[in-house]
Amino acid sequence: MTTEPLAVSFRDYVASAGPDTYLPASAELRKTVPDGCFLDVMAMRLECVGRGRAQASLEVGQRHLNQAGVCQGGLVVALADATAGWAARTALPSEARFVTLTMSTNVVRAGRVGDVLWAEAVPRHLGRSTMVFESAVRRGAEVSASVVAISTVTLMVLG
């Protein structure tokens, strides 16, 4: 990850946002994805952050497909998990670490080449030792866009 501390932490960045408000992710927050890591290689992009919430996107390309020619289900799961992780960073002090403890995902529709998958993670529980997020992945940013998957992500706070 980044070796230098952020000038503004995720938590501080969203401190002025209302409880259901999103702010566009700053260039500095986007730089927290190291070059060559899985999120970078798969082209997942942090779009917006709010208090305990985040939105991310991914444009489905050929490299994201499975042998049947549709978006690999594991990629959809990874996008939901990454978005929950970004949401957690807005709710924790910058030095806090966490890991995914459990995750349950229902994939209900396939993504296809050219689809822009848009994930939104919202908090269901923000505790000191665990956090639970619901991550919905849709074909597009609109609330009315077709749902691709719904995930429940439980994170364990390590300190």
Side-chain angles (χ1 to χ4, degrees):
M1 293 265 294
T2 307
T3 55
E4 296 180 27
L6 294 171
V8 176
S9 71
F10 275 76
R11 187 176 179 175
D12 292 342
Y13 185 75
V14 299
S16 64
D20 295 326
T21 304
Y22 284 100
L23 300 173
S26 69
E28 183 181 20
L29 294 184
R30 286 189 177 132
K31 286 181 190 174
T32 62
V33 175
D35 292 340
C37 81
F38 181 76
L39 303 182
D40 177 51
V41 171
M42 291 296 108
M44 294 180 197
R45 178 180 163 90
L46 176 62
E47 297 289 350
C48 303
V49 289
R51 284 197 234 163
R53 55 189 59 234
Q55 295 179 338
S57 69
L58 164 84
E59 184 173 351
V60 179
Q62 288 293 325
R63 66 182 169 176
H64 300 120
L65 303 182
N66 64 18
Q67 65 276 23
V70 295
C71 185
Q72 171 63 35
L75 181 71
V76 174
V77 172
L79 179 61
D81 184 47
T83 307
W86 277 313
R89 293 191 69 187
T90 70
L92 292 168
S94 59
E95 69 278 358
R97 297 176 319 140
F98 55 88
V99 295
T100 300
L101 187 60
T102 64
M103 187 170 181
S104 172
T105 303
N106 292 305
V107 179
V108 297
R109 186 170 282 111
R112 304 197 183 283
V113 171
D115 285 347
V116 176
L117 300 183
W118 194 273
E120 178 179 32
V122 295
R124 297 297 177 225
H125 166 73
L126 296 176
R128 289 180 299 181
S129 59
T130 60
M131 305 174 102
V132 179
F133 294 90
E134 184 178 288
S135 288
V137 179
R138 292 183 166 80
R139 285 186 187 154
E142 303 80 27
V143 174
S144 62
S146 298
V147 172
V148 172
I150 300 286
S151 296
T152 301
V153 184
T154 303
L155 303 174
M156 180 171 64
V157 180
L158 302 174

